[in-house]
mmCIF file of all heavy atoms in Angstrom:
data_model
loop_
_atom_site.group_PDB
_atom_site.id
_atom_site.type_symbol
_atom_site.label_atom_id
_atom_site.label_comp_id
_atom_site.label_asym_id
_atom_site.label_seq_id
_atom_site.Cartn_x
_atom_site.Cartn_y
_atom_site.Cartn_z
ATOM 1 N N ARG A 1121 -7.987 -3.374 18.804
ATOM 2 C CA ARG A 1121 -7.835 -2.327 17.794
ATOM 3 C C ARG A 1121 -6.405 -1.785 17.805
ATOM 4 O O ARG A 1121 -5.812 -1.563 16.753
ATOM 5 C CB ARG A 1121 -8.846 -1.205 18.038
ATOM 6 C CG ARG A 1121 -8.835 -0.139 16.970
ATOM 7 C CD ARG A 1121 -10.011 0.812 17.125
ATOM 8 N NE ARG A 1121 -11.269 0.133 16.857
ATOM 9 C CZ ARG A 1121 -11.764 -0.066 15.642
ATOM 10 N NH1 ARG A 1121 -11.101 0.349 14.578
ATOM 11 N NH2 ARG A 1121 -12.912 -0.687 15.478
ATOM 12 N N HIS A 1122 -5.854 -1.587 19.001
ATOM 13 C CA HIS A 1122 -4.463 -1.142 19.094
ATOM 14 C C HIS A 1122 -3.532 -2.214 18.537
ATOM 15 O O HIS A 1122 -2.572 -1.905 17.824
ATOM 16 C CB HIS A 1122 -4.107 -0.860 20.554
ATOM 17 C CG HIS A 1122 -2.690 -0.441 20.752
ATOM 18 N ND1 HIS A 1122 -2.229 0.822 20.450
ATOM 19 C CD2 HIS A 1122 -1.614 -1.143 21.198
ATOM 20 C CE1 HIS A 1122 -0.942 0.895 20.716
ATOM 21 N NE2 HIS A 1122 -0.545 -0.279 21.170
ATOM 22 N N ALA A 1123 -3.815 -3.482 18.839
ATOM 23 C CA ALA A 1123 -2.993 -4.584 18.335
ATOM 24 C C ALA A 1123 -3.049 -4.666 16.813
ATOM 25 O O ALA A 1123 -2.033 -4.914 16.157
ATOM 26 C CB ALA A 1123 -3.456 -5.902 18.955
ATOM 27 N N ALA A 1124 -4.231 -4.451 16.237
ATOM 28 C CA ALA A 1124 -4.377 -4.496 14.787
ATOM 29 C C ALA A 1124 -3.552 -3.412 14.127
ATOM 30 O O ALA A 1124 -2.889 -3.633 13.108
ATOM 31 C CB ALA A 1124 -5.846 -4.349 14.403
ATOM 32 N N ARG A 1125 -3.546 -2.224 14.698
ATOM 33 C CA ARG A 1125 -2.772 -1.121 14.143
ATOM 34 C C ARG A 1125 -1.273 -1.433 14.219
ATOM 35 O O ARG A 1125 -0.518 -1.182 13.283
ATOM 36 C CB ARG A 1125 -3.095 0.155 14.909
ATOM 37 C CG ARG A 1125 -2.526 1.405 14.304
ATOM 38 C CD ARG A 1125 -3.087 2.628 14.973
ATOM 39 N NE ARG A 1125 -4.522 2.748 14.736
ATOM 40 C CZ ARG A 1125 -5.136 3.900 14.520
ATOM 41 N NH1 ARG A 1125 -4.441 5.003 14.495
ATOM 42 N NH2 ARG A 1125 -6.421 3.949 14.307
ATOM 43 N N ARG A 1126 -0.861 -1.990 15.345
ATOM 44 C CA ARG A 1126 0.554 -2.319 15.531
ATOM 45 C C ARG A 1126 0.991 -3.421 14.569
ATOM 46 O O ARG A 1126 2.071 -3.358 13.972
ATOM 47 C CB ARG A 1126 0.780 -2.755 16.974
ATOM 48 C CG ARG A 1126 2.220 -3.000 17.355
ATOM 49 C CD ARG A 1126 2.337 -3.245 18.836
ATOM 50 N NE ARG A 1126 3.722 -3.484 19.228
ATOM 51 C CZ ARG A 1126 4.119 -3.670 20.469
ATOM 52 N NH1 ARG A 1126 3.238 -3.601 21.453
ATOM 53 N NH2 ARG A 1126 5.384 -3.901 20.743
ATOM 54 N N LEU A 1127 0.146 -4.432 14.399
ATOM 55 C CA LEU A 1127 0.486 -5.536 13.508
ATOM 56 C C LEU A 1127 0.489 -5.076 12.054
ATOM 57 O O LEU A 1127 1.344 -5.484 11.262
ATOM 58 C CB LEU A 1127 -0.507 -6.687 13.698
ATOM 59 C CG LEU A 1127 -0.200 -7.984 12.949
ATOM 60 C CD1 LEU A 1127 1.175 -8.520 13.329
ATOM 61 C CD2 LEU A 1127 -1.267 -9.033 13.226
ATOM 62 N N MET A 1128 -0.443 -4.212 11.685
ATOM 63 C CA MET A 1128 -0.489 -3.697 10.320
ATOM 64 C C MET A 1128 0.774 -2.904 10.007
ATOM 65 O O MET A 1128 1.360 -3.044 8.926
ATOM 66 C CB MET A 1128 -1.723 -2.806 10.139
ATOM 67 C CG MET A 1128 -1.910 -2.298 8.720
ATOM 68 S SD MET A 1128 -2.234 -3.638 7.544
ATOM 69 C CE MET A 1128 -2.674 -2.707 6.083
ATOM 70 N N LEU A 1129 1.213 -2.086 10.949
ATOM 71 C CA LEU A 1129 2.428 -1.306 10.743
ATOM 72 C C LEU A 1129 3.633 -2.228 10.580
ATOM 73 O O LEU A 1129 4.495 -1.999 9.726
ATOM 74 C CB LEU A 1129 2.654 -0.354 11.919
ATOM 75 C CG LEU A 1129 3.852 0.594 11.812
ATOM 76 C CD1 LEU A 1129 3.733 1.474 10.568
ATOM 77 C CD2 LEU A 1129 3.976 1.450 13.062
ATOM 78 N N SER A 1130 3.679 -3.284 11.365
ATOM 79 C CA SER A 1130 4.767 -4.254 11.253
ATOM 80 C C SER A 1130 4.772 -4.925 9.881
ATOM 81 O O SER A 1130 5.822 -5.088 9.255
ATOM 82 C CB SER A 1130 4.635 -5.311 12.356
ATOM 83 O OG SER A 1130 5.588 -6.338 12.197
ATOM 84 N N GLU A 1131 3.589 -5.282 9.397
ATOM 85 C CA GLU A 1131 3.505 -5.941 8.095
ATOM 86 C C GLU A 1131 3.840 -4.982 6.953
ATOM 87 O O GLU A 1131 4.398 -5.398 5.945
ATOM 88 C CB GLU A 1131 2.111 -6.537 7.893
ATOM 89 C CG GLU A 1131 1.905 -7.868 8.592
ATOM 90 C CD GLU A 1131 2.856 -8.937 8.083
ATOM 91 O OE1 GLU A 1131 3.239 -8.908 6.894
ATOM 92 O OE2 GLU A 1131 3.234 -9.811 8.875
ATOM 93 N N LEU A 1132 3.491 -3.722 7.104
ATOM 94 C CA LEU A 1132 3.847 -2.754 6.069
ATOM 95 C C LEU A 1132 5.355 -2.557 5.993
ATOM 96 O O LEU A 1132 5.906 -2.303 4.921
ATOM 97 C CB LEU A 1132 3.154 -1.408 6.350
ATOM 98 C CG LEU A 1132 1.644 -1.385 6.146
ATOM 99 C CD1 LEU A 1132 1.072 -0.035 6.562
ATOM 100 C CD2 LEU A 1132 1.258 -1.706 4.713
ATOM 101 N N HIS A 1133 6.023 -2.692 7.125
ATOM 102 C CA HIS A 1133 7.487 -2.574 7.145
ATOM 103 C C HIS A 1133 8.159 -3.837 6.634
ATOM 104 O O HIS A 1133 9.075 -3.786 5.809
ATOM 105 C CB HIS A 1133 7.966 -2.281 8.565
ATOM 106 C CG HIS A 1133 7.910 -0.836 8.931
ATOM 107 N ND1 HIS A 1133 8.153 -0.379 10.190
ATOM 108 C CD2 HIS A 1133 7.636 0.264 8.190
ATOM 109 C CE1 HIS A 1133 8.045 0.943 10.220
ATOM 110 N NE2 HIS A 1133 7.718 1.346 9.016
ATOM 111 N N PHE A 1134 7.710 -4.985 7.149
ATOM 112 C CA PHE A 1134 8.350 -6.258 6.828
ATOM 113 C C PHE A 1134 7.287 -7.301 6.480
ATOM 114 O O PHE A 1134 6.992 -8.191 7.283
ATOM 115 C CB PHE A 1134 9.202 -6.751 8.009
ATOM 116 C CG PHE A 1134 10.215 -5.755 8.486
ATOM 117 C CD1 PHE A 1134 10.019 -5.055 9.661
ATOM 118 C CD2 PHE A 1134 11.367 -5.508 7.746
ATOM 119 C CE1 PHE A 1134 10.950 -4.123 10.106
ATOM 120 C CE2 PHE A 1134 12.301 -4.585 8.171
ATOM 121 C CZ PHE A 1134 12.097 -3.896 9.360
ATOM 122 N N PRO A 1135 6.670 -7.174 5.306
ATOM 123 C CA PRO A 1135 5.595 -8.115 4.946
ATOM 124 C C PRO A 1135 6.104 -9.535 4.803
ATOM 125 O O PRO A 1135 7.146 -9.773 4.212
ATOM 126 C CB PRO A 1135 5.084 -7.567 3.608
ATOM 127 C CG PRO A 1135 6.214 -6.752 3.060
ATOM 128 C CD PRO A 1135 6.924 -6.182 4.247
ATOM 129 N N LYS A 1136 5.365 -10.464 5.380
ATOM 130 C CA LYS A 1136 5.727 -11.872 5.291
ATOM 131 C C LYS A 1136 5.162 -12.458 4.000
ATOM 132 O O LYS A 1136 4.063 -12.110 3.565
ATOM 133 C CB LYS A 1136 5.195 -12.634 6.503
ATOM 134 C CG LYS A 1136 5.868 -12.222 7.801
ATOM 135 C CD LYS A 1136 5.279 -12.980 8.978
ATOM 136 C CE LYS A 1136 5.995 -12.576 10.251
ATOM 137 N NZ LYS A 1136 5.911 -11.111 10.514
ATOM 138 N N ALA A 1137 5.917 -13.376 3.418
ATOM 139 C CA ALA A 1137 5.525 -13.963 2.137
ATOM 140 C C ALA A 1137 4.156 -14.636 2.228
ATOM 141 O O ALA A 1137 3.395 -14.640 1.261
ATOM 142 C CB ALA A 1137 6.576 -14.976 1.689
ATOM 143 N N GLU A 1138 3.841 -15.197 3.413
ATOM 144 C CA GLU A 1138 2.579 -15.923 3.573
ATOM 145 C C GLU A 1138 1.346 -15.035 3.432
ATOM 146 O O GLU A 1138 0.251 -15.536 3.150
ATOM 147 C CB GLU A 1138 2.531 -16.613 4.946
ATOM 148 C CG GLU A 1138 3.567 -17.697 5.150
ATOM 149 C CD GLU A 1138 4.901 -17.157 5.645
ATOM 150 O OE1 GLU A 1138 5.074 -15.919 5.672
ATOM 151 O OE2 GLU A 1138 5.761 -17.970 6.010
ATOM 152 N N VAL A 1139 1.500 -13.730 3.645
ATOM 153 C CA VAL A 1139 0.333 -12.838 3.623
ATOM 154 C C VAL A 1139 0.501 -11.697 2.624
ATOM 155 O O VAL A 1139 -0.323 -10.779 2.577
ATOM 156 C CB VAL A 1139 0.053 -12.263 5.031
ATOM 157 C CG1 VAL A 1139 -0.285 -13.379 6.004
ATOM 158 C CG2 VAL A 1139 1.244 -11.441 5.539
ATOM 159 N N LEU A 1140 1.538 -11.757 1.813
ATOM 160 C CA LEU A 1140 1.813 -10.669 0.869
ATOM 161 C C LEU A 1140 0.643 -10.443 -0.075
ATOM 162 O O LEU A 1140 0.269 -9.297 -0.363
ATOM 163 C CB LEU A 1140 3.086 -10.982 0.082
ATOM 164 C CG LEU A 1140 3.686 -9.841 -0.742
ATOM 165 C CD1 LEU A 1140 4.057 -8.671 0.153
ATOM 166 C CD2 LEU A 1140 4.904 -10.330 -1.506
ATOM 167 N N ASP A 1141 0.041 -11.507 -0.559
ATOM 168 C CA ASP A 1141 -1.073 -11.363 -1.490
ATOM 169 C C ASP A 1141 -2.285 -10.703 -0.833
ATOM 170 O O ASP A 1141 -3.011 -9.932 -1.474
ATOM 171 C CB ASP A 1141 -1.465 -12.728 -2.072
ATOM 172 C CG ASP A 1141 -1.948 -13.698 -1.007
ATOM 173 O OD1 ASP A 1141 -1.308 -13.773 0.070
ATOM 174 O OD2 ASP A 1141 -2.962 -14.389 -1.241
ATOM 175 N N LEU A 1142 -2.507 -10.965 0.457
ATOM 176 C CA LEU A 1142 -3.624 -10.347 1.169
ATOM 177 C C LEU A 1142 -3.425 -8.844 1.302
ATOM 178 O O LEU A 1142 -4.353 -8.063 1.101
ATOM 179 C CB LEU A 1142 -3.770 -10.975 2.564
ATOM 180 C CG LEU A 1142 -4.054 -12.472 2.621
ATOM 181 C CD1 LEU A 1142 -4.105 -12.942 4.068
ATOM 182 C CD2 LEU A 1142 -5.357 -12.810 1.905
ATOM 183 N N LEU A 1143 -2.203 -8.444 1.637
ATOM 184 C CA LEU A 1143 -1.907 -7.026 1.792
ATOM 185 C C LEU A 1143 -1.996 -6.296 0.459
ATOM 186 O O LEU A 1143 -2.545 -5.185 0.372
ATOM 187 C CB LEU A 1143 -0.514 -6.849 2.398
ATOM 188 C CG LEU A 1143 -0.328 -7.409 3.809
ATOM 189 C CD1 LEU A 1143 1.141 -7.368 4.204
ATOM 190 C CD2 LEU A 1143 -1.165 -6.633 4.814
ATOM 191 N N GLN A 1144 -1.466 -6.912 -0.596
ATOM 192 C CA GLN A 1144 -1.514 -6.283 -1.920
ATOM 193 C C GLN A 1144 -2.953 -6.109 -2.388
ATOM 194 O O GLN A 1144 -3.314 -5.063 -2.945
ATOM 195 C CB GLN A 1144 -0.713 -7.113 -2.921
ATOM 196 C CG GLN A 1144 0.792 -7.034 -2.703
ATOM 197 C CD GLN A 1144 1.571 -7.968 -3.609
ATOM 198 O OE1 GLN A 1144 1.085 -9.034 -3.987
ATOM 199 N NE2 GLN A 1144 2.783 -7.573 -3.950
ATOM 200 N N ALA A 1145 -3.778 -7.122 -2.169
ATOM 201 C CA ALA A 1145 -5.186 -7.034 -2.580
ATOM 202 C C ALA A 1145 -5.913 -5.945 -1.794
ATOM 203 O O ALA A 1145 -6.738 -5.205 -2.343
ATOM 204 C CB ALA A 1145 -5.879 -8.379 -2.375
ATOM 205 N N HIS A 1146 -5.591 -5.820 -0.500
ATOM 206 C CA HIS A 1146 -6.238 -4.805 0.334
ATOM 207 C C HIS A 1146 -5.847 -3.394 -0.093
ATOM 208 O O HIS A 1146 -6.675 -2.478 -0.062
ATOM 209 C CB HIS A 1146 -5.847 -5.031 1.799
ATOM 210 C CG HIS A 1146 -6.358 -3.972 2.720
ATOM 211 N ND1 HIS A 1146 -7.683 -3.871 3.087
ATOM 212 C CD2 HIS A 1146 -5.721 -2.943 3.346
ATOM 213 C CE1 HIS A 1146 -7.849 -2.833 3.887
ATOM 214 N NE2 HIS A 1146 -6.664 -2.256 4.061
ATOM 215 N N LEU A 1147 -4.598 -3.205 -0.513
ATOM 216 C CA LEU A 1147 -4.086 -1.876 -0.840
ATOM 217 C C LEU A 1147 -4.250 -1.503 -2.317
ATOM 218 O O LEU A 1147 -4.036 -0.346 -2.688
ATOM 219 C CB LEU A 1147 -2.607 -1.790 -0.466
ATOM 220 C CG LEU A 1147 -2.281 -1.949 1.022
ATOM 221 C CD1 LEU A 1147 -0.780 -2.107 1.224
ATOM 222 C CD2 LEU A 1147 -2.802 -0.771 1.816
ATOM 223 N N GLU A 1148 -4.620 -2.462 -3.153
ATOM 224 C CA GLU A 1148 -4.594 -2.257 -4.598
ATOM 225 C C GLU A 1148 -5.439 -1.061 -5.045
ATOM 226 O O GLU A 1148 -4.980 -0.227 -5.834
ATOM 227 C CB GLU A 1148 -5.057 -3.515 -5.322
ATOM 228 C CG GLU A 1148 -4.991 -3.390 -6.832
ATOM 229 C CD GLU A 1148 -5.391 -4.674 -7.548
ATOM 230 O OE1 GLU A 1148 -5.778 -5.641 -6.869
ATOM 231 O OE2 GLU A 1148 -5.331 -4.685 -8.784
ATOM 232 N N ASP A 1149 -6.667 -0.953 -4.570
ATOM 233 C CA ASP A 1149 -7.545 0.133 -5.019
ATOM 234 C C ASP A 1149 -6.971 1.498 -4.666
ATOM 235 O O ASP A 1149 -6.990 2.426 -5.495
ATOM 236 C CB ASP A 1149 -8.937 -0.021 -4.406
ATOM 237 C CG ASP A 1149 -9.716 -1.169 -5.023
ATOM 238 O OD1 ASP A 1149 -9.303 -1.656 -6.095
ATOM 239 O OD2 ASP A 1149 -10.735 -1.576 -4.432
ATOM 240 N N SER A 1150 -6.466 1.643 -3.454
ATOM 241 C CA SER A 1150 -5.934 2.944 -3.043
ATOM 242 C C SER A 1150 -4.653 3.281 -3.792
ATOM 243 O O SER A 1150 -4.419 4.450 -4.144
ATOM 244 C CB SER A 1150 -5.676 2.968 -1.529
ATOM 245 O OG SER A 1150 -4.646 2.071 -1.163
ATOM 246 N N VAL A 1151 -3.826 2.280 -4.088
ATOM 247 C CA VAL A 1151 -2.592 2.528 -4.833
ATOM 248 C C VAL A 1151 -2.905 2.939 -6.272
ATOM 249 O O VAL A 1151 -2.309 3.883 -6.809
ATOM 250 C CB VAL A 1151 -1.686 1.283 -4.801
ATOM 251 C CG1 VAL A 1151 -0.516 1.426 -5.777
ATOM 252 C CG2 VAL A 1151 -1.155 1.048 -3.387
ATOM 253 N N GLN A 1152 -3.852 2.246 -6.905
ATOM 254 C CA GLN A 1152 -4.228 2.603 -8.268
ATOM 255 C C GLN A 1152 -4.832 4.005 -8.328
ATOM 256 O O GLN A 1152 -4.589 4.764 -9.279
ATOM 257 C CB GLN A 1152 -5.212 1.571 -8.837
ATOM 258 C CG GLN A 1152 -4.601 0.209 -9.085
ATOM 259 C CD GLN A 1152 -3.407 0.267 -10.029
ATOM 260 O OE1 GLN A 1152 -3.380 1.025 -11.002
ATOM 261 N NE2 GLN A 1152 -2.389 -0.542 -9.739
ATOM 262 N N GLU A 1153 -5.616 4.354 -7.322
ATOM 263 C CA GLU A 1153 -6.191 5.698 -7.268
ATOM 264 C C GLU A 1153 -5.097 6.752 -7.151
ATOM 265 O O GLU A 1153 -5.130 7.783 -7.841
ATOM 266 C CB GLU A 1153 -7.150 5.808 -6.076
ATOM 267 C CG GLU A 1153 -7.823 7.160 -5.929
ATOM 268 C CD GLU A 1153 -8.936 7.384 -6.942
ATOM 269 O OE1 GLU A 1153 -9.257 6.453 -7.708
ATOM 270 O OE2 GLU A 1153 -9.502 8.500 -6.958
ATOM 271 N N LEU A 1154 -4.122 6.509 -6.291
ATOM 272 C CA LEU A 1154 -3.034 7.470 -6.117
ATOM 273 C C LEU A 1154 -2.214 7.593 -7.393
ATOM 274 O O LEU A 1154 -1.822 8.711 -7.774
ATOM 275 C CB LEU A 1154 -2.141 7.034 -4.946
ATOM 276 C CG LEU A 1154 -0.971 7.955 -4.603
ATOM 277 C CD1 LEU A 1154 -1.443 9.388 -4.386
ATOM 278 C CD2 LEU A 1154 -0.225 7.434 -3.376
ATOM 279 N N ARG A 1155 -1.953 6.496 -8.075
ATOM 280 C CA ARG A 1155 -1.251 6.569 -9.364
ATOM 281 C C ARG A 1155 -2.025 7.455 -10.350
ATOM 282 O O ARG A 1155 -1.446 8.271 -11.065
ATOM 283 C CB ARG A 1155 -1.078 5.166 -9.951
ATOM 284 C CG ARG A 1155 0.038 4.353 -9.320
ATOM 285 C CD ARG A 1155 0.421 3.191 -10.222
ATOM 286 N NE ARG A 1155 1.545 2.452 -9.674
ATOM 287 C CZ ARG A 1155 1.464 1.248 -9.124
ATOM 288 N NH1 ARG A 1155 0.293 0.648 -9.041
ATOM 289 N NH2 ARG A 1155 2.540 0.647 -8.665
ATOM 290 N N GLY A 1156 -3.340 7.277 -10.386
ATOM 291 C CA GLY A 1156 -4.157 8.076 -11.290
ATOM 292 C C GLY A 1156 -4.112 9.556 -10.951
ATOM 293 O O GLY A 1156 -4.073 10.402 -11.847
ATOM 294 N N ILE A 1157 -4.127 9.881 -9.660
ATOM 295 C CA ILE A 1157 -4.064 11.279 -9.239
ATOM 296 C C ILE A 1157 -2.733 11.898 -9.653
ATOM 297 O O ILE A 1157 -2.683 13.026 -10.177
ATOM 298 C CB ILE A 1157 -4.256 11.381 -7.710
ATOM 299 C CG1 ILE A 1157 -5.689 10.992 -7.335
ATOM 300 C CG2 ILE A 1157 -3.938 12.787 -7.209
ATOM 301 C CD1 ILE A 1157 -5.922 10.832 -5.853
ATOM 302 N N ILE A 1158 -1.652 11.180 -9.431
ATOM 303 C CA ILE A 1158 -0.325 11.695 -9.781
ATOM 304 C C ILE A 1158 -0.210 11.903 -11.283
ATOM 305 O O ILE A 1158 0.309 12.918 -11.756
ATOM 306 C CB ILE A 1158 0.768 10.741 -9.266
ATOM 307 C CG1 ILE A 1158 0.781 10.740 -7.735
ATOM 308 C CG2 ILE A 1158 2.145 11.131 -9.812
ATOM 309 C CD1 ILE A 1158 1.612 9.640 -7.125
ATOM 310 N N ARG A 1159 -0.730 10.952 -12.064
ATOM 311 C CA ARG A 1159 -0.663 11.089 -13.533
ATOM 312 C C ARG A 1159 -1.526 12.243 -14.023
ATOM 313 O O ARG A 1159 -1.225 12.861 -15.045
ATOM 314 C CB ARG A 1159 -1.094 9.774 -14.184
ATOM 315 C CG ARG A 1159 -0.063 8.652 -14.033
ATOM 316 C CD ARG A 1159 -0.384 7.489 -14.956
ATOM 317 N NE ARG A 1159 0.628 6.464 -14.877
ATOM 318 C CZ ARG A 1159 0.487 5.302 -14.234
ATOM 319 N NH1 ARG A 1159 -0.654 5.037 -13.605
ATOM 320 N NH2 ARG A 1159 1.463 4.417 -14.205
ATOM 321 N N THR A 1160 -2.611 12.544 -13.326
ATOM 322 C CA THR A 1160 -3.434 13.684 -13.706
ATOM 323 C C THR A 1160 -2.671 14.996 -13.513
ATOM 324 O O THR A 1160 -2.760 15.914 -14.332
ATOM 325 C CB THR A 1160 -4.731 13.712 -12.861
ATOM 326 O OG1 THR A 1160 -5.466 12.502 -13.094
ATOM 327 C CG2 THR A 1160 -5.597 14.900 -13.229
ATOM 328 N N ILE A 1161 -1.900 15.068 -12.438
ATOM 329 C CA ILE A 1161 -1.111 16.276 -12.156
ATOM 330 C C ILE A 1161 0.106 16.357 -13.064
ATOM 331 O O ILE A 1161 0.448 17.426 -13.571
ATOM 332 C CB ILE A 1161 -0.694 16.302 -10.675
ATOM 333 C CG1 ILE A 1161 -1.931 16.346 -9.774
ATOM 334 C CG2 ILE A 1161 0.226 17.503 -10.383
ATOM 335 C CD1 ILE A 1161 -1.635 16.162 -8.309
ATOM 336 N N ARG A 1162 0.758 15.217 -13.288
ATOM 337 C CA ARG A 1162 1.966 15.187 -14.116
ATOM 338 C C ARG A 1162 1.879 14.042 -15.116
ATOM 339 O O ARG A 1162 2.452 12.972 -14.915
ATOM 340 C CB ARG A 1162 3.201 15.013 -13.232
ATOM 341 C CG ARG A 1162 3.612 16.233 -12.446
ATOM 342 C CD ARG A 1162 4.219 17.311 -13.331
ATOM 343 N NE ARG A 1162 5.363 16.841 -14.086
ATOM 344 C CZ ARG A 1162 6.618 16.808 -13.594
ATOM 345 N NH1 ARG A 1162 6.853 17.217 -12.374
ATOM 346 N NH2 ARG A 1162 7.607 16.372 -14.352
ATOM 347 N N PRO A 1163 1.160 14.229 -16.229
ATOM 348 C CA PRO A 1163 1.000 13.159 -17.215
ATOM 349 C C PRO A 1163 2.297 12.777 -17.918
ATOM 350 O O PRO A 1163 2.353 11.748 -18.583
ATOM 351 C CB PRO A 1163 -0.017 13.732 -18.204
ATOM 352 C CG PRO A 1163 0.052 15.204 -18.026
ATOM 353 C CD PRO A 1163 0.393 15.431 -16.597
ATOM 354 N N ASP A 1164 3.333 13.599 -17.766
ATOM 355 C CA ASP A 1164 4.611 13.320 -18.429
ATOM 356 C C ASP A 1164 5.494 12.348 -17.663
ATOM 357 O O ASP A 1164 6.493 11.869 -18.199
ATOM 358 C CB ASP A 1164 5.389 14.628 -18.613
ATOM 359 C CG ASP A 1164 5.658 15.324 -17.285
ATOM 360 O OD1 ASP A 1164 4.669 15.602 -16.559
ATOM 361 O OD2 ASP A 1164 6.832 15.575 -16.963
ATOM 362 N N LEU A 1165 5.151 12.029 -16.442
ATOM 363 C CA LEU A 1165 6.018 11.186 -15.622
ATOM 364 C C LEU A 1165 6.001 9.736 -16.085
ATOM 365 O O LEU A 1165 4.963 9.206 -16.480
ATOM 366 C CB LEU A 1165 5.596 11.248 -14.157
ATOM 367 C CG LEU A 1165 5.746 12.590 -13.440
ATOM 368 C CD1 LEU A 1165 5.319 12.457 -11.989
ATOM 369 C CD2 LEU A 1165 7.178 13.107 -13.535
ATOM 370 N N GLY A 1166 7.154 9.089 -15.986
ATOM 371 C CA GLY A 1166 7.247 7.669 -16.280
ATOM 372 C C GLY A 1166 6.811 6.845 -15.083
ATOM 373 O O GLY A 1166 6.541 7.372 -13.994
ATOM 374 N N ALA A 1167 6.760 5.531 -15.272
ATOM 375 C CA ALA A 1167 6.247 4.638 -14.228
ATOM 376 C C ALA A 1167 7.063 4.730 -12.943
ATOM 377 O O ALA A 1167 6.501 4.769 -11.835
ATOM 378 C CB ALA A 1167 6.237 3.202 -14.746
ATOM 379 N N SER A 1168 8.399 4.761 -13.065
ATOM 380 C CA SER A 1168 9.228 4.801 -11.857
ATOM 381 C C SER A 1168 9.054 6.120 -11.114
ATOM 382 O O SER A 1168 9.098 6.165 -9.877
ATOM 383 C CB SER A 1168 10.704 4.599 -12.222
ATOM 384 O OG SER A 1168 11.195 5.675 -13.006
#
């Protein structure tokens, strides 16, 4: 469990091309949710 946390942190810092799609798929739901929350608070903001 400690190793998994350490490896995940390493991949978040320097994601390898071989596993980039796995990380993006794992994080996609939470990222989309956060985008929605931010747009609810500030609907005037642009994408960047």
